Amino acid sequence: MDCCVPNRFNDKEINGIEMVLQDIKGGRIRASIPKPLFKKWRGNILEFSMYVMSNFIVVDKKEKIRITTNRWTINFSQKTTVLLVPHPSFPLEAFSFKPIMELLQADKIDDSILTDVIGEVVEKEDPRELITSKGRETKRLAILIKDLENNSIGCVLSGDMVDQILPYPEGERVEPLIVIA
């Protein structure tokens, strides 16, 4: 996963890149590329590719939002090297699916960890225009998704995700609309 992080004072300025990397055993770790190195690395590390990385800095991130269960973060430096492995030797487990029932029955859900859910969109609200606390215009769309066991859970999409999904439930479809959230 590669995500450009906007400057908190200017949405048009990039502050760096955040990624989630996976190892051969399926373990995940967050990686950060700071603003000074952004131009060097943008577009050079692609999703679903395998790399050998060296000369990075490992930091103990004691943050509320960790994204992965790993408390450590890899920070790129000027000396970091990344080499593409042309023929990966293990499959990438791109998703960390949780059953809807497990989420519904949980006493507490750690919302600082990325979790994936898959299901059919069975209901949706009309999209709404919003203005964030920072004055940025965005969109919000609430949907209800149902799994194969007929468990359902609400999900709120925002920003570009709303534009990506809106054309599908609007059209006349024969097949169900399946989403991964």
Side-chain angles (χ1 to χ4, degrees), residues 60-76:
D60 186 354
K61 285 282 191 176
K62 297 176 184 170
E63 298 175 332
K64 287 183 181 179
I65 298 178
R66 289 194 332 245
I67 299 178
T68 70
T69 56
N70 196 324
R71 74 181 220 196
W72 303 98
T73 298
I74 291 175
N75 288 345
F76 279 49

Side-chain angles (χ1 to χ4, degrees), residues 87 119 149:
H87 303 290
E149 286 80 37

Side-chain angles (χ1 to χ4, degrees), residues 8 65 113 147:
R8 66 183 200 171
I65 298 178
I113 306 296
D147 65 14

Side-chain angles (χ1 to χ4, degrees), residues 50-122:
M50 181 184 231
Y51 299 91
V52 174
M53 299 181 178
S54 59
N55 302 323
F56 46 81
I57 302 164
V58 179
V59 179
D60 186 354
K61 285 282 191 176
K62 297 176 184 170
E63 298 175 332
K64 287 183 181 179
I65 298 178
R66 289 194 332 245
I67 299 178
T68 70
T69 56
N70 196 324
R71 74 181 220 196
W72 303 98
T73 298
I74 291 175
N75 288 345
F76 279 49
S77 73
Q78 290 287 354
K79 296 182 179 187
T80 300
T81 60
V82 177
L83 301 171
L84 177 66
V85 175
H87 303 290
S89 60
F90 71 94
L92 173 66
E93 298 294 330
F95 300 103
S96 178
F97 288 116
K98 296 281 186 211
I100 290 175
M101 185 52 73
E102 182 180 319
L103 296 173
L104 293 174
Q105 291 177 339
D107 290 332
K108 183 179 178 188
I109 296 173
D110 186 352
D111 62 359
S112 70
I113 306 296
L114 294 177
T115 301
D116 300 310
V117 177
I118 187 170
E120 177 185 355
V121 176
V122 293

Side-chain angles (χ1 to χ4, degrees), residues 118-123 144-148 175-179:
I118 187 170
E120 177 185 355
V121 176
V122 293
E123 288 182 31
L144 186 69
I145 59 175
K146 183 170 67 172
D147 65 14
L148 293 173
E175 67 279 352
L177 176 60
I178 308 297
V179 296

